[in-house]
Amino acid sequence: MGVGYLKIAARAGDGALPVSGANIVMKDSSGKTLKQLKTDESGNTEAVPLYAPDKASTLRSNNPGPHYSTYDVEVSHAKFITNIICGVQVFDTVTSTLPVSMAPVPRTFEKSNLVREVNIPSHGLQTQVGRKQQGPKVQPKVLRDVAIPEYITVHLAHPDSWARNVRVKFIDYIKNVASSGIYPTWPQASLEANIYAQITFALNRVYTEWYRSRGYDFDITNSTSVDQAFVDGRDVFENISVIVDKIFNQYVRRQGHKEPFFTMFCNGTTSTCPGGLSQWGTVDLAEQGMNPFQILDHYYPDDIEVVETNNTISVAESYPGAALREGNQGPSVETMQRYLNRIRVNYPLIPQIANPNGMFGSETTEAVKTFQSIFGLTPDGVIGKETWYKISYLYVAVENLKVKENGSI
């Protein structure tokens, strides 16, 4: 018997506003209530310990499982439509965060009649079959430069099947894809190798405009037969989130080429892909001592390399290239101070920086630490790449809402 952890993050307004005081009910698969609690001022709950099968069951492809436990979560608030999320996945030793997007109740409706239901399917690693990924054999329309998009549009079905499209931040898309497609209990090197492949696959679709050049109104699908798993509304695993925050702007390419390499992959059990990465196979290679690049090199051509781009599309400010910390000064520090002061209007636990003058002092350190704690980052008070982009993305979101100075929900 193992134990995993689940916490809730309730947000409104594209993640810009915390929903405090939301009522949370956690139930097991039989419908028995296990825990009732409320979100705090930042829209978060504590991490609730829950039963999960032992981690050892997730490390071998021939182990029939179960590999994880599932729970149902109800999130309600007088001002918002109730959310019921079924099938939330909890793994042994891993903390899961369930981001819940809260929509206000329209004035013309009765609150009791409005419920949003999300059903999370079985984990994509288990259900992957009939995989036929295609990359550009002839040159499609190609963007001028490789850049990290702020948002990516996902079609929630096979490309030729009717379904709705969702527009999601690229970094959150990768966290969702990784949580949907690989087990968070795998060795670190295995996780990183898979996430590099998933990032690169998505960037190849965006860079080559694989779908848009063919007349579709989206960038990628969530069909595992042609693209990669994505489950709108699912929980995200904390250790995977940390990895993505650090490497989301790194990708695989062949030496002498600019475009992201077409990193075909499959689970290696119910689906195989000659010339592609085997997701289960990466576990064995990591246990043999291989690092992420060695694992990628095992499956892909010998001339691949991992590169980083600081080109971003529609981000308020690009990362300056070096972490900011106490004692630093300059315009980049002032930018972050202004952003944090704006964000604290909606997240008042963040202490105000009284004089945002570009001098990184103890006041700024405390503001950064609080921000990092609220959003699941390491609270070290240092503005590294992952903290920089999280602050920038949230600043853009709260600015777009044009919330009044006292506009915290």
Side-chain angles (χ1 to χ4, degrees), residues 47-162:
V48 177
L50 297 167
Y51 162 77
D54 191 273
K55 174 182 175 178
S57 69
T58 67
L59 299 178
R60 294 293 175 267
S61 61
N62 59 359
N63 189 310
H67 299 145
Y68 56 89
S69 294
T70 60
Y71 297 89
D72 299 339
V73 177
E74 179 178 308
V75 184
S76 60
H77 190 287
K79 296 181 180 179
F80 296 92
I81 295 171
T82 295
N83 282 256
I84 297 177
I85 305 96
C86 300
V88 178
Q89 296 166 3
V90 175
F91 284 79
D92 182 25
T93 73
V94 175
T95 299
S96 302
T97 297
L98 179 65
V100 182
S101 180
M102 304 291 286
V105 176
R107 294 179 181 178
T108 56
F109 283 80
E110 291 291 333
K111 170 71 170 73
S112 59
N113 295 334
L114 295 176
V115 176
R116 173 179 177 256
E117 293 188 7
V118 175
N119 291 289
I120 301 173
S122 298
H123 197 278
L125 189 70
Q126 299 177 322
T127 58
Q128 190 185 111
V129 293
R131 201 155 171 77
K132 295 181 180 178
Q133 294 174 323
Q134 292 184 345
K137 296 178 181 178
V138 296
Q139 191 75 343
K141 184 177 179 181
V142 174
L143 301 179
R144 181 174 299 175
D145 294 303
V146 178
I148 304 299
E150 182 181 358
Y151 287 89
I152 187 169
T153 300
V154 187
H155 183 66
L156 299 179
H158 190 275
D160 294 320
S161 298
W162 183 90

Side-chain angles (χ1 to χ4, degrees), residues 221-237:
T221 78
N222 76 340
S223 170
T224 57
S225 65
V226 292
D227 289 313
Q228 49 191 8
F230 173 88
V231 179
D232 189 31
R234 69 153 298 132
D235 53 321
V236 170
F237 306 120

Side-chain angles (χ1 to χ4, degrees), residues 155-194:
H155 183 66
L156 299 179
H158 190 275
D160 294 320
S161 298
W162 183 90
R164 64 188 178 94
N165 296 340
V166 295
R167 186 168 177 263
V168 59
K169 287 185 174 69
F170 182 78
I171 193 168
D172 292 332
Y173 165 78
I174 296 298
K175 291 178 181 181
N176 186 301
V177 164
S179 296
S180 300
I182 52 179
Y183 285 165
T185 49
W186 286 358
Q188 181 84 2
S190 170
L191 295 176
E192 290 186 16
N194 277 277

Side-chain angles (χ1 to χ4, degrees), residues 342-396:
R342 173 60 188 88
I343 292 167
R344 77 173 297 275
V345 172
N346 305 108
Y347 290 84
L349 289 180
I350 299 172
Q352 184 173 13
I353 302 169
N355 186 17
N357 58 2
M359 302 289 292
F360 200 134
S362 58
E363 204 174 54
T364 302
T365 298
E366 289 308 307
V368 173
K369 284 183 177 179
T370 303
F371 176 90
Q372 291 168 325
S373 295
I374 290 171
F375 292 100
L377 303 172
T378 302
D380 57 10
V382 176
I383 304 177
K385 182 175 63 179
E386 55 270 33
T387 299
W388 176 282
Y389 281 113
K390 188 69 176 181
I391 292 173
S392 295
Y393 284 142
L394 193 60
Y395 170 79
V396 170

